[in-house]
Amino acid sequence: MVREQIWRGLTGGRSVHLTDWPAAGELPHDPGLVAAMDRVRQAASAALSLRKACGLRVRLPLAKLTVAAADAALFEPFADLLHDEVNVKAVEFTTEVSTHGRFELAVNAQACGPRLGRDTQKVIRAVKAGEWCQDAEGRVIAAGIELLPGEYTQRLVACDPDESAALPNSSGLVVLGTAVTPELVAEGLAKDVIRLVQQARRDADLDVSERIALALEASDTVLAAVRAHEEFLAGEVLATSVTYGAAPEPTLFGAVADGAKVKVRLQPVQLQQD
């Protein structure tokens, strides 16, 4: 069995089946990495939710993703991961949360009423008027009165809700540049075609390393997008040549973007041996 051969090759042991299960304490454990990945996942999930709300498919690249949070430095080692997961050209991190959002305070009258008595309404009026602050020690003060934990809630509100979303527990914001340029549209179309060609490769049961000659038939708009990114497309689908125009006996009929039709025909190519 393959796993048995791998085990013996790596350890020199008699058999993986004669080995005890590893103790949990012997396994690598990095709480900091786990926490960082949780934060990265939160940012990616929020950004993808914004994409969906704006009707922007994932294969359409966008200009920039900004993550604004006090712990922005935690995200920086994973910029490439966010870049690929959200499909953006650039990722930016900043601790300046106030540039993209503001905190709103809500007083829990039921919780603070027994302690503050008549001052409860004064505090509520001050908060509604925006006359509250948070000091250097994190204490929330309204109308000159300190509010205790549980007597209020804070919520981070985005300045532009159409392009921004709050991270869990109001711990930051993600801002997604949703403006789409013709160049981004063309790149998105090329990626859609790549997906169709990869599907055609699977349908033809080609080996993952097998080269192909590729023929595409589509609208002028789609073909122009592919031509602009031909080198990238060819590298992704292992095409030694790409031709445009009528594609007889297409391997696959498909659609891209808003339903534009594409015909894909591919043929395996035998590379000459030196």
Side-chain angles (χ1 to χ4, degrees), residues 136-223:
E137 297 179 359
R139 297 178 300 180
V140 172
I141 299 171
I145 300 171
E146 179 185 352
L147 294 176
L148 303 179
E151 295 179 346
Y152 64 91
T153 56
Q154 268 186 309
R155 184 168 69 97
L156 184 56
V157 180
C159 294
D160 186 351
D162 292 333
E163 293 193 347
S164 308
L167 296 175
N169 301 317
S170 295
S171 57
L173 289 164
V174 294
V175 184
L176 189 64
T178 57
V180 179
T181 65
E183 292 77 15
L184 293 174
V185 170
E187 185 177 339
L189 286 173
K191 289 184 176 181
D192 286 340
V193 173
I194 288 171
R195 176 187 61 83
L196 290 177
V197 178
Q198 299 289 34
Q199 182 61 56
R201 288 182 61 96
R202 288 190 290 271
D203 292 347
D205 198 26
L206 297 183
D207 185 83
V208 293
S209 62
E210 196 164 356
R211 268 49 177 178
I212 61 171
L214 177 63
L216 297 171
E217 181 179 350
S219 68
D220 291 342
T221 300
V222 173
L223 293 185

Side-chain angles (χ1 to χ4, degrees), residues 12-207:
R14 289 176 57 197
S15 172
V16 67
H17 301 292
L18 300 176
T19 302
D20 294 333
W21 285 100
E26 297 174 355
L27 298 175
H29 184 54
D30 188 341
L33 178 60
V34 172
M37 287 304 302
D38 283 343
R39 291 291 280 158
V40 171
R41 187 169 53 199
Q42 290 170 359
S45 178
L48 291 173
S49 295
L50 281 171
R51 265 188 171 276
K52 185 175 181 180
C54 295
L56 300 169
R57 68 191 192 285
V58 176
R59 274 186 296 275
L60 174 65
L62 298 175
K64 186 170 74 170
L65 170 69
T66 300
V67 180
D71 58 350
L74 195 68
F75 295 87
E76 292 181 0
F78 307 99
D80 289 344
L81 184 59
L82 283 170
H83 174 278
D84 294 338
E85 187 72 14
V86 185
N87 192 15
V88 290
K89 308 300 286 185
V91 181
E92 179 182 273
F93 305 102
T94 178
T95 57
E96 298 297 326
V97 179
S98 60
T99 303
H100 304 285
R102 66 183 186 281
F103 281 100
E104 290 186 351
L105 193 73
V107 177
N108 185 337
Q110 187 175 3
C112 67
R115 183 176 72 88
L116 299 182
R118 294 181 180 179
D119 285 338
T120 301
Q121 291 303 316
K122 181 167 68 172
V123 167
I124 290 174
R125 287 193 296 270
V127 168
K128 287 184 176 179
E131 298 170 356
W132 65 276
C133 65
Q134 193 164 13
D135 65 16
E137 297 179 359
R139 297 178 300 180
V140 172
I141 299 171
I145 300 171
E146 179 185 352
L147 294 176
L148 303 179
E151 295 179 346
Y152 64 91
T153 56
Q154 268 186 309
R155 184 168 69 97
L156 184 56
V157 180
C159 294
D160 186 351
D162 292 333
E163 293 193 347
S164 308
L167 296 175
N169 301 317
S170 295
S171 57
L173 289 164
V174 294
V175 184
L176 189 64
T178 57
V180 179
T181 65
E183 292 77 15
L184 293 174
V185 170
E187 185 177 339
L189 286 173
K191 289 184 176 181
D192 286 340
V193 173
I194 288 171
R195 176 187 61 83
L196 290 177
V197 178
Q198 299 289 34
Q199 182 61 56
R201 288 182 61 96
R202 288 190 290 271
D203 292 347
D205 198 26
L206 297 183
D207 185 83

